[in-house]
Amino acid sequence: MVAFKSVSTPEMSTLSQIRLTALSRLAPEVADFLEGGAGDEGTLTANRAAFSRWGFRQRVMSGLDVPDLSTSLLGTDLAMPVLTSPFGADGLFHPDGQKAVARAALAAGIALVVPEAGTHSLEDVVQAAPKAARIAQLHPMGPEQNFLRMLRRIEDAGCQAICLTVDCPTGGWRERVLRNAFDLDARFVGGNYPDDGQTRLIEVFGQLFERSAVVWSWERLASLMAHTHLPWIAKGIMTADDALAAEAAGAAAVYVSNHGGRQLDGVPAALDALVEVARAVDGRLPVLFDSGVRRGADVVKALALGADVVVIGRLAAYGLTAGGQAGVERVLSLLHDEIRTVLTLLGHGGVRDLGPGALVRLDGTDTPM
Ligand SMILES: Cc1cc2nc3c(=O)[nH]c(=O)nc-3n(C[C@H](O)[C@H](O)[C@H](O)COP(=O)(O)O)c2cc1C
């Protein structure tokens, strides 16, 4: 069990209800910013559809006790194999933003990934929950001296690891944002750069939103990451080739993600890419996974297909919107209890030993494993 009691209200009775509650509370253009994807939103839809192509190969009378959900990532213990993703502009959803997420993560015994483009500074998020396990996210772009300055701040803030978002050389083609003339710059001020005239944010997000990408290479990344002792995770890996390139550049973990369908429309479902990436790294590095996770059964399927830790993006933002810290706690507690229920019914003793044998294809094709 999670060591805290989450608050259940009719508005937060289930994960799908929390989503509805959240969307009903947001201005339509903010709801679109949260929900939307790139292009025709084909990848956004594919992310969800991929989960329904897999079912469970249920075993009964296992004789097993209550399943063990605990695990660890890069030396950090986790009460369950779940993290919250680095979602920026978090103050649009709740004034406490990632500060509330950090408190909820601490209560649930998991880690959060603090976004570079967050509403509150990294230091303020740490201050809100000093004991929370935390990974800091950075965009590997822009001038090197500012990137290096952030590396120092991340070390000083006592983060356990760094998450580098490598799928963001420019912003995705987001038509809901265009349709609503949604001006993120006008709606959101980044908390990490209050004193320098938002220099780095403008460098980073000026690139993102003006679409004048300056793409870093693995070689450049490897030489800059030699300046920190912290392990780093490459977020946004969708192919075996890039997983191997990240490993060669010194990544301590790879993070399969298509940014929740918000970047390049037309890439496959992240769950399908997970199979390819997990096979390529073959247990040498931990594999994180996100994009499309909406319930505990999805977490179990991703673990069975090779993820070591599953990350929630919009799901955490729904909880934040619906109830601040209590809302994120409710999301985490519902996830925890559903994972435990699914594993028990599946006849599985824990999350660490899940493999493809726990799953069956439901669409009549052969398993790619
Ligand atoms: C509102 C919003 C803001 C986001 N901001 C960032 C960001 O600043 N950096 C980043 O690496 N990913 C960002 N993401 C992507 C998430 O970290 C994550 O990859 C994605 O939400 C996973 O898909 P899911 O929402 O379907 O779970 C953002 C996602 C959302 C919904």
Side-chain angles (χ1 to χ4, degrees), residues 11-267:
E11 297 78 33
M12 299 202 289
S13 54
T14 65
L15 292 171
S16 55
Q17 181 57 52
I18 291 172
R19 171 174 174 270
L20 295 177
T21 300
L23 296 180
S24 73
R25 296 207 180 148
L26 294 173
E29 68 276 15
V30 178
D32 266 346
F33 170 67
L34 173 59
E35 287 287 85
D40 289 326
E41 301 190 337
T43 295
L44 180 75
T45 306
N47 281 340
R48 286 297 304 138
F51 285 100
S52 59
R53 288 200 298 273
W54 289 100
F56 294 113
R57 194 164 167 275
Q58 182 181 21
R59 302 296 308 277
V60 296
M61 299 301 286
S62 69
L64 294 169
D65 209 336
V66 177
D68 178 11
L69 269 57
S70 66
T71 189
S72 67
L73 175 69
L74 301 173
T76 297
D77 289 332
L78 303 170
M80 63 175 165
V82 172
L83 303 181
T84 60
S85 88
F87 61 94
D90 40 299
L92 291 175
F93 310 122
H94 189 279
D96 292 345
Q98 295 289 342
K99 296 202 281 190
V101 177
R103 293 188 195 107
L106 177 63
I110 64 156
L112 81 157
V113 186
V114 186
E116 177 176 22
T119 295
H120 304 285
S121 70
L122 172 62
E123 293 79 3
D124 284 350
V125 174
V126 172
Q127 180 80 36
K131 294 202 169 123
R134 50 194 174 262
I135 295 168
Q137 177 267 335
L138 271 185
H139 292 92
M141 51 171 34
E144 294 183 358
Q145 67 272 19
N146 294 327
F147 181 83
L148 291 172
R149 216 185 311 144
M150 274 311 287
L151 288 186
R152 290 288 85 74
R153 279 175 65 183
I154 289 167
E155 289 176 349
D156 292 346
C159 297
Q160 277 76 42
I162 302 172
C163 171
L164 297 176
T165 301
V166 293
D167 65 357
C168 234
T170 191
W173 190 258
R174 299 185 196 164
E175 298 200 346
R176 294 201 211 193
V177 167
L178 292 170
R179 199 164 53 231
N180 295 327
F182 183 69
D183 183 355
L184 190 60
D185 286 344
R187 300 292 288 266
F188 153 76
V189 176
N192 268 320
Y193 310 101
D195 302 326
D196 64 359
Q198 304 280 322
T199 315
R200 170 145 168 89
L201 206 64
I202 288 166
E203 285 159 5
V204 169
F205 292 95
Q207 281 182 30
L208 285 186
F209 295 110
E210 286 161 26
R211 304 175 201 287
S212 56
V214 178
V215 183
W216 285 23
S217 64
W218 288 115
E219 292 72 25
R220 189 170 181 199
L221 198 54
S223 74
L224 285 170
M225 294 314 284
H227 288 84
T228 179
H229 63 273
L230 289 175
W232 60 275
I233 301 163
K235 174 179 188 275
I237 299 296
M238 287 289 290
T239 61
D241 291 340
D242 276 341
L244 297 176
E247 182 181 19
V254 292
Y255 182 161
V256 176
S257 168
N258 56 31
H259 221 102
R262 296 167 77 82
Q263 283 297 95
L264 180 58
D265 191 35
V267 297

Side-chain angles (χ1 to χ4, degrees), residues 240-326:
D241 291 340
D242 276 341
L244 297 176
E247 182 181 19
V254 292
Y255 182 161
V256 176
S257 168
N258 56 31
H259 221 102
R262 296 167 77 82
Q263 283 297 95
L264 180 58
D265 191 35
V267 297
L271 196 69
D272 293 334
L274 171 63
V275 173
E276 170 178 335
V277 170
R279 196 186 295 133
V281 302
D282 197 21
R284 295 186 303 279
L285 306 182
V287 177
L288 292 77
F289 169 84
D290 80 20
S291 297
V293 175
R294 298 291 181 270
R295 58 165 55 262
D298 299 341
V299 173
V300 175
K301 289 177 187 178
L303 294 171
L305 290 174
D308 296 285
V309 170
V310 176
V311 193
I312 54 166
R314 292 182 184 85
L315 204 48
Y318 300 147
L320 179 64
T321 309
Q325 177 186 345

